[in-house]
């Protein structure tokens, strides 16, 4: 989707206010979180891409958002290619760290379930809870586990056999002297 198309969509949702490709949604257009949620929803529906609210904060102009949508579409294609040979939890964790919960969820087969803490809800809600809002980094494999660091917390992703398919278990990983956790 091009910046001009995104600006037109924003203009429509902002009651026809003019929007230029380099207008910042929050500062130039005085956008708020309710309008942001509407914009993200509209963009997700119109593009078919798993767009999240955080994406608008990271790319707040139509031009930046158009660039992000191109990046998101390209990276999802690359992740799907990597998953074509079969389910790979590492690929899902990479997508979660790089692109966010909605993108990781879009890559998961329907039969995959997720468990995180006492959380109960949709897969994408549990992935969002596990990932958090800040920076997130995939760490090197530790045994058969996939590790992700968010802030001072390290999460362990593991697969469990489930009669209906694959169940991803997300638990806090005990931090300590492990090379994978400390990065040394």
């Amino acid at each position: 989707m091009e910046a001009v198309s995104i600006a037109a969509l924003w203009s429509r949702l902002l009651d026809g206010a003019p929007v230029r490709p380099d207008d910042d949604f929050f500062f130039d257009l005085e956008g708020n979180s309710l309008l942001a949620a509407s914009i993200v929803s509209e963009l997700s529906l119109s593009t078919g891409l798993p767009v999240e609210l955080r994406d608008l904060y990271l790319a707040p102009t139509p031009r930046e958002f158009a660039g992000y949508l191109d990046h998101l579409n390209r990276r999802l294609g690359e992740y799907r290619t990597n998953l074509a040979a079969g389910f790979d939890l590492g690929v899902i964790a990479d997508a979660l760290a790089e692109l966010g919960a909605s993108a990781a969820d879009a890559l998961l087969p329907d039969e995959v379930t997720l468990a995180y803490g006492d959380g109960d809800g949709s897969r994408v809600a549990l992935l969002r809870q596990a990932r958090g809002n800040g920076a997130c980094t995939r760490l090197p494999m530790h045994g058969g586990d996939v590790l992700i660091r968010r802030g001072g917390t390290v999460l362990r992703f593991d697969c469990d056999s489930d009669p209906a398919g694959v169940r991803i278990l997300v638990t806090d990983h005990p931090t300590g002297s492990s090379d994978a956790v400390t990065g040394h």
Side-chain angles (χ1 to χ4, degrees), residues 38-100:
S38 294
I39 284 174
V40 166
S41 177
E42 287 278 333
L43 285 168
S44 187
L45 289 172
S46 66
T47 63
L49 293 171
V51 182
E52 295 189 9
L53 190 56
R54 77 182 191 102
D55 301 332
L56 184 57
Y57 285 91
L58 296 173
T61 71
R63 187 177 319 280
E64 291 172 327
F65 210 89
Y68 175 73
L69 290 176
D70 287 343
H71 170 77
L72 176 62
N73 191 40
R74 181 177 42 79
R75 291 297 289 148
L76 281 172
E78 291 168 2
Y79 284 128
R80 284 186 179 108
T81 298
N82 292 339
L83 290 169
F87 183 76
D88 182 339
L89 187 56
V91 172
I92 302 300
D94 285 341
L96 179 64
E98 179 188 358
L99 302 174

Side-chain angles (χ1 to χ4, degrees), residues 4 10-12 25 46 56 63 66-67 79 93 101 107 119 121 129-130 137-138 141-142 147 153 157 160 166:
V4 173
W10 290 12
S11 176
R12 182 173 55 79
F25 176 76
S46 66
L56 184 57
R63 187 177 319 280
Y79 284 128
L107 295 170
Q129 181 184 359
T137 307
R138 162 111 183 268
M141 294 284 284
H142 179 67
L147 303 177
T153 303
F157 287 67
D160 187 18
V166 176

